[in-house]
Amino acid sequence: MNREDGFPQDFIWGCSTSCYQIEGAAKEDGKGISIWDTFAHTPDKVLSNHTGDIACDSYHRWKEDIALLRELNAGAYRFSVSWTRIQPEGKGAPNQKGLDYYSRLVDGLCEAGVEPWLELFHWDLPQALEEKGGWRNRDTAMRFEEYAGIMYDHIGDRVGHWTSMNEPWCAAFLGHLTGEHAPGLRDRRAANRAVHHLLLAHGLATRAFRRSGIKGEYGLVINPSKPRPATLRPEDAEASERASIERTSLWLDPIFGRSYPRVFMDIFGSDMPIEAGDMDIISEPLDFIGVNYYDEEAVRAAPCSTQNPYGFEFVPTYQKKTDMGWEIEPSGLRRILSYIANVWPCKKIYVTENGAAFPDKQDADGIVRDYDRIDYIKGHANACGDAIKQGVPLKGYFLWSLIDNFEWSFGYNRAFGIVAVDRNTLERRPKLSFYYYRDLIAGFGL
């Protein structure tokens, strides 16, 4: 049965955050140091030299955040766990105070009628593991399996949806190839090794979840991309396919029991540290795929070279841009969802992140009238409805983000939240988009 706006009654409407971006309390209650603690404290790595030391102070203000979710009547809250709160050195006995924090958070969400969606890894690798090679080192995948098991044992009875990790493409390539993210390396071979070990860690954690007997669904969150071809010429259509390899098929092919994409292996196969049995572990069956979508670019064919091994280049587009410089193209969300549903046998798909940064301004009455963000959310919600009509098994939508937070290398200079956070007092104040999203959840927003 559907609502008036066409969405199924059981469609999940939620919000997403991540631990380093909102928690703060960087050195409290036994928490260890992560690579983002280190990276953010390295001069000139983050805009304005901002850090996540305090962030939104959600470690202490989590009840306020749950109250906001309750006011929205959000069906679910997707959050990540800080590995170093659980294992300060990335291995060994768990830190009870860290476990207690997430137990309180989960209990509070359940009491408020908000389903907890727990993510094990959102880029904040323990620094102690990084010093032993991080994701370039196979042992990190084994340590991730151990950490995952601790979380299953302690919170598995109250969490029905789990994801192993968020956007491993970012951890691999932004962290190891371009150096924009922690640990800040610029080494193609390191990035390729990280790809395999991230996927191996995902597979090991998934197997451990199945062995645990926990009742729930398990998935992986990716940030896929399939840029649209600039023209209808066959060469541009082929360039569009090649442009999607590292963001999409590099992750979904092995997850669904295929080998790594042939084109990727032809170029970089010698870098990949694949051992016997690895691909079987990586392809442990999943219940859902999470899709993070923010924009869609356009490409055309270009000559292959060492710097451009896939033979494509991005071209200018007409669309308005967000404060991140990302073009606003809601139809791209429908296209990427349909592409994934048609090529890979996904049981369920969720939009696990979608949102926009705009240069919000607070009016004299203290209200942020962020109509651009409202239009953005409305357009992308409509795109979700269109995807469902086309047969995509889309089961939910999570807005990024509940509150303004630490936006990685941009620090606090980019605002994605539907709730503003005063940087001095940390007071939460809903923007107009908060009330729009409340209407959307209630069935009136479209």
Side-chain angles (χ1 to χ4, degrees):
M1 184 176 179
N2 289 346
R3 311 188 314 183
E4 269 188 34
D5 59 10
F7 282 92
Q9 291 285 356
D10 60 354
F11 191 83
I12 295 174
W13 298 96
C15 292
S16 287
T17 62
S18 87
C19 55
Y20 188 77
Q21 292 178 273
I22 69 166
E23 284 183 1
K27 296 181 180 179
E28 289 189 39
D29 291 340
K31 179 187 174 298
I33 298 171
S34 78
I35 58 173
W36 267 98
D37 291 311
T38 301
F39 190 77
H41 278 272
T42 304
D44 302 322
K45 292 296 186 181
V46 174
L47 199 60
S48 305
N49 289 319
H50 289 162
T51 74
D53 287 2
I54 298 174
C56 306
D57 196 32
S58 288
Y59 187 76
H60 300 110
R61 296 170 178 258
W62 57 272
K63 290 183 180 179
E64 297 176 42
D65 296 340
I66 291 178
L68 290 166
L69 292 162
R70 172 77 174 168
E71 186 177 351
L72 280 172
N73 197 30
Y77 179 54
R78 173 177 167 261
F79 64 94
S80 71
V81 172
S82 168
W83 189 344
T84 57
R85 285 201 195 282
I86 307 305
Q87 293 179 301
E89 300 293 314
K91 63 179 182 179
N95 171 32
Q96 189 60 47
K97 289 184 177 180
L99 289 171
D100 290 344
Y101 167 69
Y102 292 108
S103 185
R104 290 193 300 271
L105 177 61
V106 166
D107 286 346
L109 289 165
C110 293
E111 289 168 7
V114 181
E115 184 182 9
W117 280 52
L118 191 149
E119 185 167 70
L120 291 168
F121 180 70
H122 200 122
W123 309 345
D124 50 337
L125 183 74
Q127 180 63 33
L129 295 184
E130 175 61 28
E131 291 169 3
K132 295 180 179 179
W135 290 115
R136 287 99 59 209
N137 182 356
R138 185 180 180 88
D139 184 64
T140 298
M142 314 305 161
R143 302 285 67 74
F144 186 76
E145 179 185 20
E146 176 184 82
Y147 153 60
I150 291 171
M151 296 309 300
Y152 303 153
D153 288 344
H154 285 80
I155 303 182
D157 59 331
R158 286 160 285 163
V159 177
H161 287 84
W162 296 75
T163 52
S164 56
M165 56 185 62
N166 179 79
E167 298 181 4
W169 177 86
C170 292
F173 292 105
L174 298 186
H176 296 81
L177 180 59
T178 67
E180 298 168 60
H181 282 192
L185 304 183
R186 296 182 179 179
D187 183 329
R188 166 56 87 161
R189 184 171 184 270
N192 293 338
R193 290 181 64 83
V195 166
H196 185 67
H197 293 144
L198 282 158
L199 280 170
L200 182 62
H202 156 78
L204 289 168
T206 308
R207 280 196 171 181
F209 179 82
R210 302 300 183 204
R211 289 196 305 267
S212 73
I214 294 172
K215 294 179 180 179
E217 296 188 346
Y218 207 89
L220 173 70
V221 172
I222 62 171
N223 56 325
S225 173
K226 188 179 184 297
R228 61 187 181 276
T231 74
L232 292 180
R233 289 193 294 264
E235 58 267 32
D236 287 347
E238 292 168 2
S240 170
E241 291 287 346
R242 293 193 298 272
S244 74
I245 289 172
E246 288 193 355
R247 286 277 294 272
T248 311
S249 56
L250 181 60
W251 309 98
L252 293 181
D253 277 0
I255 289 292
F256 285 100
R258 308 171 191 176
S259 59
Y260 287 113
R262 181 183 57 80
V263 175
F264 178 85
M265 293 300 288
D266 286 347
I267 302 169
F268 300 115
S270 62
D271 292 345
M272 301 298 282
I274 304 169
E275 296 187 9
D278 283 1
M279 303 311 288
D280 288 337
I281 294 171
I282 291 170
S283 62
E284 186 73 23
L286 294 180
D287 300 299
F288 66 90
I289 291 292
V291 169
N292 292 354
Y293 175 87
Y294 292 94
D295 71 334
E296 179 193 66
E297 297 172 293
V299 296
R300 66 186 174 200
C304 292
S305 66
T306 303
Q307 289 73 34
N308 186 13
Y310 297 109
F312 70 88
E313 62 184 8
F314 294 103
V315 298
T317 58
Y318 74 90
Q319 281 85 351
K320 291 182 180 180
K321 306 292 195 293
T322 68
D323 209 22
M324 296 290 287
W326 298 340
E327 67 174 52
I328 302 170
E329 184 47 81
S331 294
L333 175 55
R334 172 184 53 79
R335 283 190 282 268
I336 193 65
L337 291 172
S338 295
Y339 176 63
I340 290 173
N342 290 333
V343 177
W344 292 276
C346 301
K347 298 176 184 177
K348 297 180 181 179
I349 300 176
Y350 295 90
V351 174
T352 37
E353 287 182 24
N354 175 244
F358 290 108
D360 297 333
K361 293 182 179 179
Q362 184 172 290
D363 291 339
D365 58 5
I367 297 173
V368 175
R369 292 174 169 82
D370 54 337
Y371 294 110
D372 284 343
R373 183 172 290 107
I374 291 170
D375 289 342
Y376 182 99
I377 299 168
K378 184 182 296 184
H380 288 80
N382 272 310
C384 289
D386 291 341
I388 292 171
K389 291 174 186 175
Q390 291 183 355
V392 173
L394 182 64
K395 304 300 181 182
Y397 172 93
F398 289 75
L399 179 67
W400 185 275
S401 176
L402 177 64
I403 53 179
D404 288 340
N405 53 52
F406 178 86
E407 184 46 43
W408 306 112
S409 58
F410 292 94
Y412 302 100
N413 297 289
R414 299 292 185 273
F416 277 87
I418 55 173
V419 176
V421 177
D422 186 290
R423 293 311 315 154
N424 295 313
T425 66
L426 301 174
E427 177 189 1
R428 278 83 161 131
R429 182 171 293 181
K431 307 173 188 179
L432 286 193
S433 58
F434 177 92
Y435 302 111
Y436 168 72
Y437 194 45
R438 184 185 64 187
D439 264 12
L440 180 59
I441 292 171
F444 306 114
L446 299 179

CSV table of all heavy atoms in Angstrom, one decimal, residues 315-341:
chain,number,residue,atom,x,y,z
A,315,VAL,N,33.7,17.2,-18.7
A,315,VAL,CA,33.4,18.4,-19.6
A,315,VAL,C,32.5,19.4,-18.8
A,315,VAL,O,31.8,19.0,-17.8
A,315,VAL,CB,32.6,18.0,-20.8
A,315,VAL,CG1,33.5,17.1,-21.7
A,315,VAL,CG2,31.3,17.3,-20.6
A,316,PRO,N,32.5,20.6,-19.1
A,316,PRO,CA,31.6,21.6,-18.4
A,316,PRO,C,30.1,21.2,-18.5
A,316,PRO,O,29.7,20.6,-19.5
A,316,PRO,CB,31.9,22.9,-19.2
A,316,PRO,CG,33.2,22.7,-19.8
A,316,PRO,CD,33.3,21.3,-20.2
A,317,THR,N,29.4,21.6,-17.5
A,317,THR,CA,27.9,21.4,-17.5
A,317,THR,C,27.2,22.7,-17.1
A,317,THR,O,27.8,23.6,-16.7
A,317,THR,CB,27.6,20.3,-16.4
A,317,THR,OG1,28.1,20.7,-15.1
A,317,THR,CG2,28.3,19.0,-16.8
A,318,TYR,N,25.9,22.7,-17.3
A,318,TYR,CA,25.1,23.9,-17.1
A,318,TYR,C,24.5,24.0,-15.7
A,318,TYR,O,24.0,25.0,-15.3
A,318,TYR,CB,24.0,24.0,-18.1
A,318,TYR,CG,22.9,23.0,-17.9
A,318,TYR,CD1,21.8,23.4,-17.1
A,318,TYR,CD2,22.9,21.7,-18.4
A,318,TYR,CE1,20.7,22.5,-16.8
A,318,TYR,CE2,21.9,20.8,-18.1
A,318,TYR,CZ,20.8,21.2,-17.3
A,318,TYR,OH,19.8,20.3,-17.1
A,319,GLN,N,24.5,22.9,-15.0
A,319,GLN,CA,23.7,22.8,-13.8
A,319,GLN,C,24.2,23.8,-12.7
A,319,GLN,O,25.4,24.1,-12.6
A,319,GLN,CB,23.7,21.4,-13.2
A,319,GLN,CG,22.8,20.4,-13.9
A,319,GLN,CD,23.3,19.8,-15.1
A,319,GLN,OE1,24.4,20.2,-15.6
A,319,GLN,NE2,22.7,18.8,-15.7
A,320,LYS,N,23.3,24.2,-11.8
A,320,LYS,CA,23.7,25.0,-10.6
A,320,LYS,C,24.6,24.1,-9.8
A,320,LYS,O,24.5,22.9,-9.8
A,320,LYS,CB,22.5,25.5,-9.9
A,320,LYS,CG,21.7,26.5,-10.6
A,320,LYS,CD,20.5,27.0,-9.7
A,320,LYS,CE,19.7,28.1,-10.4
A,320,LYS,NZ,18.6,28.5,-9.5
A,321,LYS,N,25.5,24.7,-9.0
A,321,LYS,CA,26.4,23.9,-8.1
A,321,LYS,C,26.1,24.2,-6.7
A,321,LYS,O,25.6,25.3,-6.3
A,321,LYS,CB,27.8,24.3,-8.4
A,321,LYS,CG,28.3,24.2,-9.9
A,321,LYS,CD,28.3,22.8,-10.3
A,321,LYS,CE,29.1,22.6,-11.7
A,321,LYS,NZ,28.4,23.3,-12.8
A,322,THR,N,26.4,23.2,-5.8
A,322,THR,CA,26.3,23.4,-4.4
A,322,THR,C,27.6,24.1,-3.9
A,322,THR,O,28.5,24.4,-4.7
A,322,THR,CB,26.2,22.1,-3.6
A,322,THR,OG1,27.4,21.4,-3.8
A,322,THR,CG2,25.0,21.3,-4.2
A,323,ASP,N,27.7,24.4,-2.6
A,323,ASP,CA,28.8,25.0,-2.0
A,323,ASP,C,30.1,24.2,-2.1
A,323,ASP,O,31.2,24.6,-2.0
A,323,ASP,CB,28.6,25.4,-0.6
A,323,ASP,CG,29.3,26.6,-0.1
A,323,ASP,OD1,29.7,27.4,-0.9
A,323,ASP,OD2,29.5,26.7,1.1
A,324,MET,N,29.9,22.9,-2.4
A,324,MET,CA,31.0,22.0,-2.7
A,324,MET,C,31.5,22.0,-4.1
A,324,MET,O,32.5,21.4,-4.5
A,324,MET,CB,30.6,20.5,-2.3
A,324,MET,CG,30.3,20.3,-0.9
A,324,MET,SD,31.7,20.5,0.2
A,324,MET,CE,32.6,18.9,-0.1
A,325,GLY,N,30.8,22.7,-5.0
A,325,GLY,CA,31.1,22.8,-6.4
A,325,GLY,C,30.5,21.6,-7.1
A,325,GLY,O,30.9,21.3,-8.3
A,326,TRP,N,29.6,20.9,-6.5
A,326,TRP,CA,29.0,19.7,-7.1
A,326,TRP,C,27.7,20.1,-7.8
A,326,TRP,O,26.8,20.8,-7.2
A,326,TRP,CB,28.7,18.6,-6.0
A,326,TRP,CG,29.9,18.1,-5.3
A,326,TRP,CD1,31.2,18.2,-5.7
A,326,TRP,CD2,29.9,17.5,-4.0
A,326,TRP,NE1,32.0,17.6,-4.8
A,326,TRP,CE2,31.3,17.2,-3.7
A,326,TRP,CE3,28.9,17.1,-3.1
A,326,TRP,CZ2,31.7,16.5,-2.6
A,326,TRP,CZ3,29.3,16.5,-1.9
A,326,TRP,CH2,30.7,16.2,-1.7
A,327,GLU,N,27.5,19.6,-9.0
A,327,GLU,CA,26.3,20.0,-9.8
A,327,GLU,C,25.0,19.4,-9.2
A,327,GLU,O,25.1,18.2,-8.7
A,327,GLU,CB,26.5,19.7,-11.3
A,327,GLU,CG,26.5,18.2,-11.6
A,327,GLU,CD,26.6,18.0,-13.1
A,327,GLU,OE1,27.4,18.6,-13.8
A,327,GLU,OE2,25.7,17.2,-13.6
A,328,ILE,N,24.0,20.1,-9.3
A,328,ILE,CA,22.7,19.6,-8.8
A,328,ILE,C,21.9,19.0,-9.9
A,328,ILE,O,21.4,19.6,-10.8
A,328,ILE,CB,21.9,20.8,-8.2
A,328,ILE,CG1,22.7,21.4,-7.1
A,328,ILE,CG2,20.5,20.3,-7.7
A,328,ILE,CD1,22.1,22.7,-6.6
A,329,GLU,N,21.8,17.6,-9.9
A,329,GLU,CA,21.2,16.9,-10.9
A,329,GLU,C,20.4,15.7,-10.4
A,329,GLU,O,20.9,14.6,-10.3
A,329,GLU,CB,22.2,16.4,-12.0
A,329,GLU,CG,21.6,15.6,-13.2
A,329,GLU,CD,20.5,16.4,-13.8
A,329,GLU,OE1,20.7,17.3,-14.6
A,329,GLU,OE2,19.3,16.1,-13.5
A,330,PRO,N,19.1,16.0,-9.9
A,330,PRO,CA,18.4,14.9,-9.3
A,330,PRO,C,18.2,13.7,-10.2
A,330,PRO,O,18.1,12.6,-9.7
A,330,PRO,CB,17.0,15.6,-9.0
A,330,PRO,CG,17.4,17.0,-8.8
A,330,PRO,CD,18.5,17.3,-9.8
A,331,SER,N,18.0,13.9,-11.5
A,331,SER,CA,17.8,12.8,-12.4
A,331,SER,C,19.0,11.8,-12.4
A,331,SER,O,18.8,10.6,-12.7
A,331,SER,CB,17.6,13.3,-13.8
A,331,SER,OG,16.4,14.0,-13.9
A,332,GLY,N,20.2,12.3,-12.0
A,332,GLY,CA,21.3,11.4,-11.9
A,332,GLY,C,21.1,10.4,-10.8
A,332,GLY,O,21.7,9.3,-10.9
A,333,LEU,N,20.4,10.7,-9.8
A,333,LEU,CA,20.1,9.7,-8.7
A,333,LEU,C,19.3,8.6,-9.3
A,333,LEU,O,19.6,7.4,-9.0
A,333,LEU,CB,19.4,10.4,-7.5
A,333,LEU,CG,19.0,9.5,-6.4
A,333,LEU,CD1,20.1,8.6,-5.9
A,333,LEU,CD2,18.3,10.3,-5.3
A,334,ARG,N,18.2,8.9,-10.0
A,334,ARG,CA,17.4,7.9,-10.6
A,334,ARG,C,18.3,7.1,-11.6
A,334,ARG,O,18.2,5.8,-11.6
A,334,ARG,CB,16.3,8.5,-11.4
A,334,ARG,CG,15.5,7.5,-12.2
A,334,ARG,CD,14.4,8.2,-13.1
A,334,ARG,NE,14.9,9.3,-13.9
A,334,ARG,CZ,15.5,9.1,-15.0
A,334,ARG,NH1,15.8,7.9,-15.5
A,334,ARG,NH2,15.9,10.2,-15.7
A,335,ARG,N,19.1,7.7,-12.3
A,335,ARG,CA,20.0,6.9,-13.3
A,335,ARG,C,20.9,6.0,-12.6
A,335,ARG,O,21.1,4.8,-13.1
A,335,ARG,CB,20.7,7.9,-14.2
A,335,ARG,CG,19.8,8.5,-15.3
A,335,ARG,CD,20.7,9.3,-16.3
A,335,ARG,NE,21.1,10.6,-15.9
A,335,ARG,CZ,20.4,11.7,-16.1
A,335,ARG,NH1,19.3,11.7,-16.7
A,335,ARG,NH2,20.9,12.9,-15.6
A,336,ILE,N,21.6,6.4,-11.6
A,336,ILE,CA,22.6,5.5,-10.9
A,336,ILE,C,21.9,4.4,-10.2
A,336,ILE,O,22.4,3.3,-10.2
A,336,ILE,CB,23.5,6.3,-10.0
A,336,ILE,CG1,24.7,5.4,-9.6
A,336,ILE,CG2,22.8,6.8,-8.7
A,336,ILE,CD1,25.6,5.1,-10.7
A,337,LEU,N,20.7,4.7,-9.6
A,337,LEU,CA,20.0,3.6,-9.0
A,337,LEU,C,19.5,2.6,-10.0
A,337,LEU,O,19.6,1.3,-9.7
A,337,LEU,CB,18.7,4.2,-8.2
A,337,LEU,CG,19.1,5.0,-7.0
A,337,LEU,CD1,17.8,5.7,-6.5
A,337,LEU,CD2,19.7,4.2,-5.9
A,338,SER,N,19.0,3.0,-11.1
A,338,SER,CA,18.5,2.1,-12.2
A,338,SER,C,19.7,1.3,-12.7
A,338,SER,O,19.6,0.1,-13.0
A,338,SER,CB,17.8,2.9,-13.3
A,338,SER,OG,16.7,3.5,-12.8
A,339,TYR,N,20.9,2.0,-12.9
A,339,TYR,CA,22.1,1.3,-13.4
A,339,TYR,C,22.5,0.2,-12.5
A,339,TYR,O,22.7,-1.0,-12.9
A,339,TYR,CB,23.2,2.3,-13.6
A,339,TYR,CG,24.5,1.8,-14.0
A,339,TYR,CD1,24.7,1.2,-15.2
A,339,TYR,CD2,25.6,1.9,-13.2
A,339,TYR,CE1,25.9,0.7,-15.7
A,339,TYR,CE2,26.9,1.4,-13.6
A,339,TYR,CZ,27.0,0.8,-14.8
A,339,TYR,OH,28.2,0.3,-15.2
A,340,ILE,N,22.5,0.4,-11.2
A,340,ILE,CA,23.0,-0.6,-10.3
A,340,ILE,C,22.0,-1.7,-10.2
A,340,ILE,O,22.3,-2.9,-10.2
A,340,ILE,CB,23.2,0.0,-8.9
A,340,ILE,CG1,24.4,0.9,-8.9
A,340,ILE,CG2,23.3,-1.1,-7.8
A,340,ILE,CD1,24.6,1.7,-7.6
A,341,ALA,N,20.7,-1.4,-10.2
A,341,ALA,CA,19.6,-2.4,-10.1
A,341,ALA,C,19.6,-3.3,-11.4
A,341,ALA,O,19.3,-4.5,-11.3
A,341,ALA,CB,18.3,-1.8,-9.9
